Coordinates of all heavy atoms in Angstrom, one line a residue:
F1 N -168.7 5.2 16.5 CA -167.3 4.7 16.7 C -167.3 3.5 15.7 O -168.2 2.6 15.7 CB -167.1 4.2 18.1 CG -167.2 5.3 19.1 CD1 -168.4 5.6 19.7 CD2 -166.1 6.1 19.4 CE1 -168.4 6.6 20.7 CE2 -166.1 7.1 20.3 CZ -167.4 7.3 21.0
S2 N -166.2 3.4 14.9 CA -166.0 2.3 14.0 C -165.2 1.2 14.8 O -164.3 1.4 15.4 CB -165.1 2.8 12.9 OG -164.8 1.7 12.1
I3 N -165.7 0.0 14.7 CA -165.1 -1.2 15.3 C -165.0 -2.4 14.4 O -165.8 -2.5 13.4 CB -165.8 -1.6 16.6 CG1 -167.3 -2.0 16.3 CG2 -165.7 -0.6 17.7 CD1 -168.1 -2.5 17.4
T4 N -164.0 -3.4 14.6 CA -164.0 -4.5 13.8 C -164.3 -5.7 14.7 O -163.7 -5.9 15.7 CB -162.5 -4.6 13.2 OG1 -162.2 -3.5 12.3 CG2 -162.4 -5.9 12.3
L5 N -165.2 -6.5 14.1 CA -165.6 -7.7 14.9 C -165.3 -9.0 14.2 O -165.2 -9.0 13.0 CB -167.2 -7.7 15.2 CG -167.7 -6.5 15.8 CD1 -169.2 -6.6 16.0 CD2 -167.1 -6.2 17.2
Q6 N -165.0 -10.0 14.9 CA -164.6 -11.3 14.4 C -165.9 -12.2 14.4 O -166.7 -12.3 15.4 CB -163.5 -11.9 15.1 CG -162.3 -11.2 15.1 CD -161.7 -10.9 13.7 OE1 -161.7 -11.8 12.9 NE2 -161.4 -9.6 13.4
K7 N -166.1 -13.0 13.3 CA -167.3 -13.9 13.2 C -167.2 -14.9 14.4 O -166.2 -15.5 14.7 CB -167.2 -14.6 11.9 CG -168.3 -15.6 11.7 CD -168.3 -16.3 10.3 CE -169.4 -17.3 10.2 NZ -169.3 -18.1 8.9
G8 N -168.5 -15.1 15.0 CA -168.6 -16.1 16.0 C -168.1 -15.7 17.5 O -168.4 -16.4 18.5
V9 N -167.5 -14.5 17.5 CA -167.2 -14.0 19.0 C -168.2 -13.1 19.5 O -168.9 -12.4 18.7 CB -165.9 -13.1 18.7 CG1 -165.5 -12.5 20.1 CG2 -164.8 -13.9 18.1
T10 N -168.5 -13.3 20.8 CA -169.5 -12.6 21.5 C -168.9 -11.3 22.2 O -167.9 -11.5 22.8 CB -170.2 -13.5 22.5 OG1 -170.9 -14.6 21.9 CG2 -171.3 -12.6 23.3
Y11 N -169.5 -10.2 21.8 CA -169.0 -8.9 22.5 C -170.0 -8.4 23.3 O -171.2 -8.5 23.2 CB -168.7 -7.9 21.3 CG -167.6 -8.5 20.3 CD1 -168.1 -9.2 19.3 CD2 -166.3 -8.0 20.5 CE1 -167.0 -9.6 18.3 CE2 -165.4 -8.5 19.7 CZ -165.6 -9.3 18.6 OH -164.8 -9.7 17.7
R12 N -169.5 -7.6 24.4 CA -170.4 -6.8 25.2 C -170.0 -5.4 25.2 O -168.8 -5.0 25.3 CB -170.2 -7.4 26.6 CG -171.2 -6.6 27.6 CD -171.1 -7.2 29.0 NE -170.6 -6.2 29.9 CZ -170.5 -6.4 31.1 NH1 -170.6 -7.5 31.7 NH2 -169.9 -5.4 31.9
F13 N -171.0 -4.6 24.9 CA -170.6 -3.0 24.8 C -171.5 -2.4 25.9 O -172.7 -2.6 26.0 CB -171.1 -2.5 23.5 CG -170.5 -3.2 22.3 CD1 -171.2 -4.2 21.5 CD2 -169.2 -3.0 22.0 CE1 -170.6 -4.8 20.5 CE2 -168.5 -3.7 21.0 CZ -169.3 -4.6 20.2
D14 N -170.8 -1.6 26.8 CA -171.5 -0.8 27.8 C -171.5 0.6 27.6 O -170.3 1.1 27.3 CB -171.0 -1.3 29.2 CG -171.1 -2.7 29.5 OD1 -172.4 -3.1 29.6 OD2 -170.2 -3.5 29.8
L15 N -172.5 1.3 27.8 CA -172.4 2.8 27.9 C -173.0 3.1 29.3 O -174.2 3.0 29.6 CB -173.3 3.4 26.8 CG -173.4 4.9 26.7 CD1 -171.9 5.5 26.4 CD2 -174.2 5.3 25.5
L16 N -172.1 3.6 30.1 CA -172.3 3.8 31.5 C -172.6 5.4 31.7 O -171.9 6.2 31.2 CB -171.2 3.5 32.4 CG -170.7 2.0 32.3 CD1 -169.5 1.7 33.2 CD2 -171.9 1.1 32.6
G17 N -173.6 5.7 32.5 CA -174.0 7.1 32.7 C -174.1 7.4 34.2 O -173.6 6.6 35.0
E18 N -174.9 8.4 34.4 CA -174.9 8.9 35.8 C -175.5 7.8 36.7 O -175.2 7.8 38.0 CB -175.9 10.1 35.8 CG -176.0 10.8 37.1 CD -176.7 12.2 37.0 OE1 -176.7 12.8 35.9 OE2 -177.3 12.5 38.1
D19 N -176.5 7.1 36.3 CA -177.2 6.1 37.1 C -176.3 5.1 37.9 O -176.4 4.8 39.0 CB -178.2 5.2 36.3 CG -179.1 4.4 37.1 OD1 -179.7 4.9 38.1 OD2 -179.2 3.2 36.9
S20 N -175.2 4.6 37.2 CA -174.4 3.7 37.8 C -173.1 4.3 38.4 O -172.3 3.7 39.0 CB -173.8 2.6 36.7 OG -173.0 3.3 35.8
G21 N -172.9 5.6 38.2 CA -171.8 6.3 38.7 C -170.6 6.1 37.7 O -169.5 6.5 38.0
G22 N -170.8 5.4 36.5 CA -169.8 5.1 35.7 C -169.5 6.3 34.7 O -168.5 6.3 34.0
G23 N -170.3 7.3 34.6 CA -170.2 8.5 34.0 C -171.1 9.5 34.5 O -172.0 9.2 35.3
W24 N -170.7 10.8 34.3 CA -171.5 11.8 34.9 C -172.2 12.8 33.9 O -172.7 13.7 34.4 CB -170.5 12.6 35.8 CG -169.9 11.8 36.7 CD1 -168.6 11.3 36.7 CD2 -170.5 11.2 37.9 NE1 -168.3 10.5 37.8 CE2 -169.5 10.4 38.6 CE3 -171.8 11.2 38.4 CZ2 -169.8 9.5 39.7 CZ3 -172.0 10.4 39.5 CH2 -171.0 9.6 40.1
T25 N -172.2 12.5 32.6 CA -172.8 13.4 31.7 C -174.0 12.9 31.1 O -174.8 13.7 30.6 CB -171.8 13.8 30.6 OG1 -171.4 12.6 29.9 CG2 -170.6 14.5 31.1
L26 N -174.3 11.6 31.1 CA -175.5 11.2 30.5 C -176.4 10.7 31.6 O -176.1 9.7 32.4 CB -175.2 10.0 29.6 CG -174.3 10.3 28.3 CD1 -173.9 9.0 27.6 CD2 -174.9 11.3 27.4
D27 N -177.7 11.1 31.5 CA -178.7 10.6 32.6 C -179.2 9.3 32.1 O -179.5 8.5 33.0 CB -179.9 11.6 32.6 CG -179.5 12.9 33.2 OD1 -178.7 12.9 34.2 OD2 -180.2 14.0 32.9
D28 N -179.5 9.1 30.8 CA -180.0 7.9 30.3 C -179.4 7.4 29.1 O -179.9 7.7 28.0 CB -181.5 8.1 30.2 CG -182.3 6.8 29.9 OD1 -181.7 5.7 29.9 OD2 -183.6 6.9 29.7
P29 N -178.2 6.7 29.1 CA -177.5 6.4 28.0 C -178.3 5.5 27.0 O -179.1 4.6 27.5 CB -176.4 5.6 28.4 CG -176.1 6.0 29.9 CD -177.5 6.3 30.3
Y30 N -178.0 5.6 25.7 CA -178.7 4.9 24.7 C -177.6 4.4 23.7 O -176.8 5.2 23.3 CB -179.7 5.6 23.9 CG -180.9 4.7 23.3 CD1 -182.2 4.9 23.7 CD2 -180.6 4.0 22.3 CE1 -183.2 4.2 23.1 CE2 -181.6 3.2 21.8 CZ -182.9 3.3 22.1 OH -183.9 2.5 21.6
L31 N -177.6 3.1 23.3 CA -176.5 2.5 22.5 C -177.1 1.8 21.4 O -178.1 1.0 21.5 CB -175.7 1.6 23.4 CG -174.3 1.1 22.9 CD1 -173.4 2.2 22.5 CD2 -173.8 0.2 24.0
W32 N -176.6 2.0 20.1 CA -177.0 1.3 18.9 C -175.8 0.6 18.3 O -174.6 1.2 18.2 CB -177.5 2.2 17.9 CG -178.8 3.0 18.1 CD1 -180.1 2.7 17.9 CD2 -178.8 4.2 18.9 NE1 -180.9 3.6 18.3 CE2 -180.2 4.5 19.0 CE3 -177.9 5.1 19.4 CZ2 -180.6 5.7 19.7 CZ3 -178.3 6.2 20.1 CH2 -179.7 6.5 20.2
L33 N -175.9 -0.5 17.7 CA -174.9 -1.3 16.9 C -175.5 -1.4 15.5 O -176.5 -1.8 15.2 CB -174.6 -2.6 17.4 CG -173.7 -3.5 16.7 CD1 -172.2 -2.8 16.8 CD2 -173.6 -4.9 17.3
H34 N -174.6 -0.8 14.6 CA -174.9 -0.8 13.1 C -174.0 -1.7 12.4 O -172.8 -1.8 12.7 CB -174.8 0.6 12.6 CG -175.6 1.7 13.2 ND1 -176.7 2.1 12.7 CD2 -175.4 2.5 14.4 CE1 -177.3 3.1 13.5 NE2 -176.4 3.3 14.5
D35 N -174.6 -2.4 11.3 CA -173.7 -3.2 10.4 C -173.0 -2.1 9.4 O -173.1 -1.0 9.6 CB -174.4 -4.2 9.6 CG -175.5 -3.7 8.6 OD1 -175.5 -2.4 8.3 OD2 -176.4 -4.4 8.2
F36 N -172.2 -2.8 8.6 CA -171.3 -1.9 7.7 C -172.1 -1.0 6.7 O -171.7 0.0 6.2 CB -170.4 -2.8 6.9 CG -171.0 -3.6 5.8 CD1 -171.0 -3.1 4.5 CD2 -171.6 -4.8 6.1 CE1 -171.5 -3.9 3.5 CE2 -172.3 -5.5 5.2 CZ -172.1 -5.1 3.8
K37 N -173.4 -1.5 6.5 CA -174.4 -0.5 5.7 C -175.1 0.5 6.4 O -175.8 1.3 5.9 CB -175.3 -1.5 4.9 CG -174.7 -2.4 3.9 CD -175.8 -3.3 3.3 CE -175.2 -4.1 2.3 NZ -176.3 -4.9 1.6
G38 N -174.9 0.5 7.7 CA -175.5 1.5 8.6 C -176.9 1.0 9.2 O -177.6 1.7 9.9
K39 N -177.3 -0.3 8.9 CA -178.5 -0.8 9.4 C -178.4 -1.2 11.0 O -177.3 -1.7 11.3 CB -178.9 -2.0 8.7 CG -180.1 -2.7 9.2 CD -180.4 -4.1 8.4 CE -181.5 -4.8 9.1 NZ -181.7 -6.1 8.5
V40 N -179.4 -0.7 11.7 CA -179.3 -1.0 13.1 C -179.6 -2.6 13.3 O -180.6 -3.0 12.9 CB -180.4 -0.2 13.9 CG1 -180.4 -0.7 15.4 CG2 -180.1 1.3 13.8
I41 N -178.6 -3.2 14.0 CA -178.8 -4.6 14.2 C -178.9 -5.0 15.7 O -179.3 -6.1 16.0 CB -177.5 -5.4 13.7 CG1 -176.2 -4.9 14.2 CG2 -177.6 -5.3 12.1 CD1 -175.0 -5.8 13.7
A42 N -178.7 -4.0 16.6 CA -179.0 -4.2 18.0 C -179.0 -2.8 18.7 O -178.4 -1.8 18.2 CB -177.9 -5.0 18.7
Q43 N -179.8 -2.6 19.6 CA -179.9 -1.4 20.5 C -180.3 -1.7 22.0 O -181.0 -2.7 22.2 CB -180.8 -0.5 19.8 CG -182.3 -0.9 19.7 CD -183.2 0.0 18.9 OE1 -182.7 1.0 18.3 NE2 -184.4 -0.3 18.9
D44 N -179.9 -0.7 22.7 CA -180.4 -0.9 24.2 C -180.5 0.5 24.8 O -179.7 1.4 24.5 CB -179.4 -1.7 24.9 CG -180.1 -2.0 26.3 OD1 -181.1 -2.7 26.5 OD2 -179.4 -1.6 27.3
N45 N -181.6 0.7 25.6 CA -181.7 1.9 26.2 C -181.5 1.7 27.8 O -180.9 2.5 28.3 CB -183.3 2.3 26.1 CG -183.6 3.6 26.9 OD1 -182.7 4.4 27.1 ND2 -184.8 3.8 27.2
D46 N -182.1 0.7 28.4 CA -181.8 0.4 29.8 C -181.5 -1.1 30.1 O -182.1 -2.0 29.4 CB -183.2 0.7 30.5 CG -183.6 2.1 30.5 OD1 -182.7 2.9 30.4 OD2 -184.7 2.4 30.5
I47 N -180.4 -1.3 30.9 CA -180.1 -2.7 31.2 C -181.3 -3.4 31.9 O -181.5 -4.6 31.8 CB -178.8 -2.7 32.0 CG1 -177.7 -2.3 31.2 CG2 -178.6 -4.1 32.6 CD1 -176.3 -2.1 31.8
S48 N -181.9 -2.6 32.7 CA -183.1 -3.1 33.6 C -183.9 -1.9 34.0 O -183.6 -0.8 33.8 CB -182.6 -3.9 34.8 OG -182.0 -3.1 35.7
G49 N -185.0 -2.2 34.6 CA -185.9 -1.2 35.1 C -185.3 -0.2 36.1 O -185.6 0.9 36.2
S50 N -184.3 -0.8 36.9 CA -183.7 0.1 37.8 C -182.1 0.5 37.5 O -181.6 1.2 38.3 CB -183.5 -0.7 39.2 OG -182.6 -1.8 39.0
N51 N -181.7 0.2 36.2 CA -180.5 0.5 35.8 C -180.6 1.1 34.4 O -180.8 0.5 33.4 CB -179.6 -0.7 35.9 CG -178.1 -0.4 35.3 OD1 -177.9 0.8 34.7 ND2 -177.1 -1.1 35.7
W52 N -180.4 2.5 34.2 CA -180.6 3.1 33.1 C -179.5 3.1 32.1 O -179.5 3.7 31.0 CB -181.0 4.6 33.3 CG -182.4 4.7 33.8 CD1 -183.3 3.6 34.2 CD2 -183.2 5.9 34.1 NE1 -184.4 4.2 34.7 CE2 -184.4 5.6 34.7 CE3 -182.8 7.3 33.9 CZ2 -185.3 6.4 34.9 CZ3 -183.8 8.2 34.2 CH2 -185.0 7.9 34.7
D53 N -178.3 2.4 32.5 CA -177.2 2.4 31.6 C -177.6 1.5 30.3 O -178.6 0.7 30.4 CB -176.0 1.7 32.3 CG -175.4 2.6 33.3 OD1 -175.5 3.8 33.3 OD2 -174.8 2.0 34.3
A54 N -176.8 1.6 29.2 CA -177.2 0.8 28.1 C -176.1 -0.3 27.9 O -174.9 -0.1 28.2 CB -177.1 1.7 26.8
Q55 N -176.6 -1.5 27.4 CA -175.7 -2.6 27.2 C -176.1 -3.5 26.1 O -177.3 -3.8 25.9 CB -175.6 -3.5 28.5 CG -174.7 -4.7 28.3 CD -174.7 -5.5 29.5 OE1 -175.7 -6.3 29.6 NE2 -173.7 -5.3 30.4
I56 N -175.3 -3.8 25.1 CA -175.5 -4.7 24.0 C -174.6 -5.9 24.2 O -173.3 -5.7 24.3 CB -175.3 -4.0 22.7 CG1 -176.3 -2.9 22.4 CG2 -175.4 -5.0 21.5 CD1 -176.1 -2.0 21.2
I57 N -175.1 -7.0 24.1 CA -174.4 -8.3 24.0 C -174.7 -8.9 22.6 O -175.8 -9.1 22.3 CB -174.7 -9.3 25.1 CG1 -174.3 -8.6 26.5 CG2 -173.9 -10.6 24.8 CD1 -174.8 -9.4 27.6
Y58 N -173.6 -9.1 21.8 CA -173.9 -9.4 20.4 C -172.9 -10.4 19.9 O -171.6 -10.3 20.2 CB -173.8 -8.1 19.5 CG -174.0 -8.4 18.1 CD1 -175.2 -8.8 17.4 CD2 -172.9 -8.4 17.2 CE1 -175.3 -8.9 16.1 CE2 -173.0 -8.7 15.7 CZ -174.3 -9.0 15.3 OH -174.4 -9.2 13.9
T59 N -173.3 -11.5 19.3 CA -172.3 -12.5 18.7 C -172.4 -12.1 17.2 O -173.4 -12.3 16.5 CB -172.8 -14.0 19.0 OG1 -172.9 -14.0 20.3 CG2 -171.9 -14.9 18.2
A60 N -171.2 -11.8 16.7 CA -171.0 -11.4 15.2 C -171.3 -12.6 14.4 O -170.7 -13.7 14.5 CB -169.7 -10.9 15.0
K61 N -172.3 -12.4 13.4 CA -172.5 -13.4 12.4 C -171.6 -13.4 11.2 O -171.5 -14.3 10.5 CB -174.0 -13.3 11.9 CG -175.0 -13.5 13.0 CD -176.4 -13.3 12.5 CE -177.3 -13.6 13.8 NZ -178.2 -12.6 13.9
K62 N -170.9 -12.2 11.1 CA -169.9 -12.0 10.1 C -168.8 -11.3 10.7 O -169.0 -10.4 11.5 CB -170.5 -11.2 8.8 CG -171.6 -12.0 8.1 CD -172.1 -11.1 7.0 CE -173.2 -11.8 6.2 NZ -173.7 -11.0 5.0
A63 N -167.6 -11.4 10.1 CA -166.5 -10.5 10.4 C -166.5 -9.2 9.7 O -167.1 -9.2 8.5 CB -165.2 -11.3 10.2
G64 N -166.0 -8.1 10.3 CA -165.9 -7.0 9.4 C -166.2 -5.7 10.4 O -166.1 -5.7 11.6
V65 N -166.4 -4.6 9.6 CA -166.5 -3.3 10.3 C -167.9 -3.1 10.8 O -168.9 -3.4 10.0 CB -166.1 -2.2 9.4 CG1 -166.3 -0.8 10.0 CG2 -164.6 -2.4 9.1
F66 N -168.2 -2.6 11.9 CA -169.5 -2.3 12.5 C -169.3 -0.9 13.2 O -168.2 -0.4 13.3 CB -169.8 -3.3 13.7 CG -170.1 -4.7 13.1 CD1 -169.1 -5.5 12.7 CD2 -171.4 -5.2 12.9 CE1 -169.4 -6.8 12.1 CE2 -171.7 -6.4 12.3 CZ -170.6 -7.2 12.0
Y67 N -170.4 -0.4 13.6 CA -170.4 1.0 14.1 C -171.2 1.1 15.4 O -172.4 0.5 15.4 CB -171.0 2.1 13.1 CG -170.2 2.0 11.9 CD1 -170.6 1.3 10.7 CD2 -169.0 2.7 11.8 CE1 -169.9 1.2 9.6 CE2 -168.3 2.8 10.6 CZ -168.7 2.1 9.6 OH -167.9 2.0 8.3
L68 N -170.7 1.6 16.5 CA -171.4 1.9 17.7 C -171.8 3.3 17.7 O -171.0 4.2 17.4 CB -170.6 1.6 18.9 CG -170.4 0.1 19.2 CD1 -169.4 0.0 20.4 CD2 -171.8 -0.4 19.7
Q69 N -173.1 3.6 18.0 CA -173.6 5.0 18.1 C -174.1 5.2 19.6 O -174.7 4.4 20.2 CB -174.8 5.2 17.2 CG -175.4 6.5 17.4 CD -176.6 6.6 16.4 OE1 -176.9 5.7 15.6 NE2 -177.5 7.7 16.8
A70 N -173.5 6.2 20.3 CA -173.9 6.4 21.7 C -174.4 7.8 21.8 O -174.0 8.8 21.2 CB -172.5 6.3 22.4
A71 N -175.5 7.9 22.7 CA -176.2 9.1 22.9 C -177.0 9.0 24.2 O -177.0 8.0 24.9 CB -177.1 9.5 21.8
D72 N -177.5 10.1 24.6 CA -178.5 10.1 25.7 C -180.0 9.8 25.1 O -180.3 10.3 24.0 CB -178.5 11.5 26.3 CG -179.3 11.5 27.6 OD1 -179.1 10.9 28.6 OD2 -180.4 12.3 27.5
Y73 N -180.8 9.2 25.8 CA -182.1 8.9 25.4 C -182.9 10.1 24.9 O -183.6 10.0 23.8 CB -182.9 8.1 26.5 CG -184.3 7.7 26.1 CD1 -184.6 6.7 25.2 CD2 -185.4 8.5 26.5 CE1 -185.9 6.4 24.8 CE2 -186.7 8.2 26.2 CZ -186.9 7.1 25.3 OH -188.2 6.8 24.9
L74 N -182.8 11.1 25.5 CA -183.5 12.4 25.1 C -182.8 13.2 24.1 O -183.4 14.2 23.6 CB -183.9 13.1 26.4 CG -184.9 12.4 27.4 CD1 -185.1 13.3 28.6 CD2 -186.2 12.1 26.7
S75 N -181.6 12.8 23.9 CA -180.8 13.5 22.9 C -180.5 15.1 23.2 O -180.2 15.8 22.4 CB -181.3 13.4 21.5 OG -181.4 12.1 21.1
D76 N -180.6 15.3 24.5 CA -180.5 16.8 24.9 C -179.0 16.9 25.7 O -178.8 17.9 26.2 CB -181.5 17.2 25.7 CG -181.8 16.6 27.0 OD1 -181.2 15.5 27.3 OD2 -182.6 17.0 27.9
E77 N -178.3 15.7 25.8 CA -177.0 15.7 26.5 C -176.0 15.1 25.6 O -176.4 14.2 24.9 CB -177.3 15.1 27.8 CG -178.1 15.8 28.8 CD -178.2 15.1 30.0 OE1 -177.7 14.0 30.3 OE2 -179.0 15.5 30.9
T78 N -174.8 15.4 25.9 CA -173.7 14.8 25.2 C -172.8 14.1 26.2 O -172.7 14.5 27.3 CB -172.8 15.6 24.3 OG1 -172.3 16.7 25.0 CG2 -173.7 16.2 23.1
G79 N -171.9 13.1 25.8 CA -171.2 12.5 26.7 C -169.9 12.0 26.1 O -169.8 12.1 24.9

C-alpha cells in the first residue's frame, strides 16, 4: 500500500488478524514499512507474546511516499 507521511508526525499501523478477532483470514499477521526506495525501515510480527497481531509505530524523519506491506507470517494465507 502506498502512503504519504509528514515529517515529525508519529503514525501507528495495525494489521489485525484472527488472534484479536479484528480479522479472520490471517493467523499471524506480519507488517513491513518501506521507504520510497523500497528499503525496510520498520517491521513487526507480534505485538506481544500473547498477541500475534502486527503493529508499527513510526515517527517519519522525512515527508514523502512510503509503502506498507502486509502478509501472514508463514505466507500461506492472504488477507
Side-chain angles (χ1 to χ4, degrees):
F1 299 93
S2 174
I3 56 175
T4 301
L5 304 182
Q6 300 300 315
K7 180 180 179 179
V9 177
T10 300
Y11 296 88
R12 184 177 116 181
F13 306 103
D14 294 306
L15 183 57
L16 305 179
E18 187 174 327
D19 189 50
S20 66
W24 302 107
T25 59
L26 297 176
D27 288 332
D28 190 0
Y30 206 117
L31 191 58
W32 297 264
L33 179 64
H34 300 263
D35 66 13
F36 71 99
K37 292 181 180 180
K39 178 184 173 188
V40 175
I41 56 175
Q43 62 186 5
D44 187 64
N45 177 26
D46 298 330
I47 291 175
S48 70
S50 61
N51 185 338
W52 288 8
D53 292 336
Q55 181 181 81
I56 293 174
I57 298 174
Y58 178 75
T59 302
K61 296 178 179 134
K62 295 181 180 181
V65 175
F66 293 76
Y67 302 94
L68 280 173
Q69 177 184 352
D72 185 73
Y73 178 72
L74 298 176
S75 298
D76 63 348
E77 299 179 358
T78 59

